[in-house]
Amino acid sequence: MTKVTFIEHNGKEHTIDAADGLTLMEAATKNMIPGIDADCGGACACATCMVYVPEEWAGKLEAKEDMEETMLDFCEHTAENSRLSCQIKISPALEGIRVTMPESQH
Ligand code: FES
């Protein structure tokens, strides 16, 4: 289990113990975290699972695949540190990670 904190756009925090091997999106939806809609079910095709990842964690994540990059390019609320949470696998290396959801997802 890895401790992960999801922060809503309004600052409300949700810390969960997430099973390693799940994606961040799967852990969020299993725990009913508001702000991660995941309309496409993890197929990298909707961008409603976007999170902002603080710089100190960005380097610990696997690099974006082309599909994720393309999806983010089309999304209105994309920032430098945006990632699709369905493309991030939880592992002990992410213990304590904190991610924020965009205002558009609530
Ligand atoms: Fe649709 Fe992540 S769940 S892009």
Side-chain angles (χ1 to χ4, degrees):
M1 293 292 218
T2 296
K3 202 170 283 300
V4 176
T5 299
F6 293 90
I7 306 166
E8 292 183 62
H9 72 99
N10 60 10
K12 189 157 187 237
E13 298 193 4
H14 306 268
T15 300
I16 60 170
D17 286 316
D20 297 320
L22 290 183
T23 65
L24 266 187
M25 175 282 275
E26 288 167 334
T29 53
K30 271 186 200 308
N31 286 277
M32 318 263 277
I33 305 294
I36 301 286
D37 293 338
D39 291 340
C40 77
C44 201
C46 71
T48 61
C49 67
M50 191 202 287
V51 292
Y52 300 130
V53 179
E55 205 183 320
E56 63 266 34
W57 289 101
K60 300 194 171 162
L61 305 180
E62 283 179 28
K64 286 178 222 154
E65 304 253 339
D66 290 351
M67 210 165 144
E68 181 180 359
E69 198 85 69
T70 305
M71 234 10 257
L72 287 169
D73 281 348
F74 281 110
C75 191
E76 204 178 319
H77 303 280
T78 300
E80 273 290 296
N81 60 348
S82 288
R83 292 294 306 257
L84 296 179
S85 62
C86 67
Q87 303 302 304
I88 298 173
K89 276 252 187 302
I90 295 168
S91 72
L94 300 187
E95 174 69 28
I97 191 170
R98 295 165 63 81
V99 297
T100 306
M101 279 81 83
E103 188 170 1
S104 56
Q105 291 167 210
H106 59 87

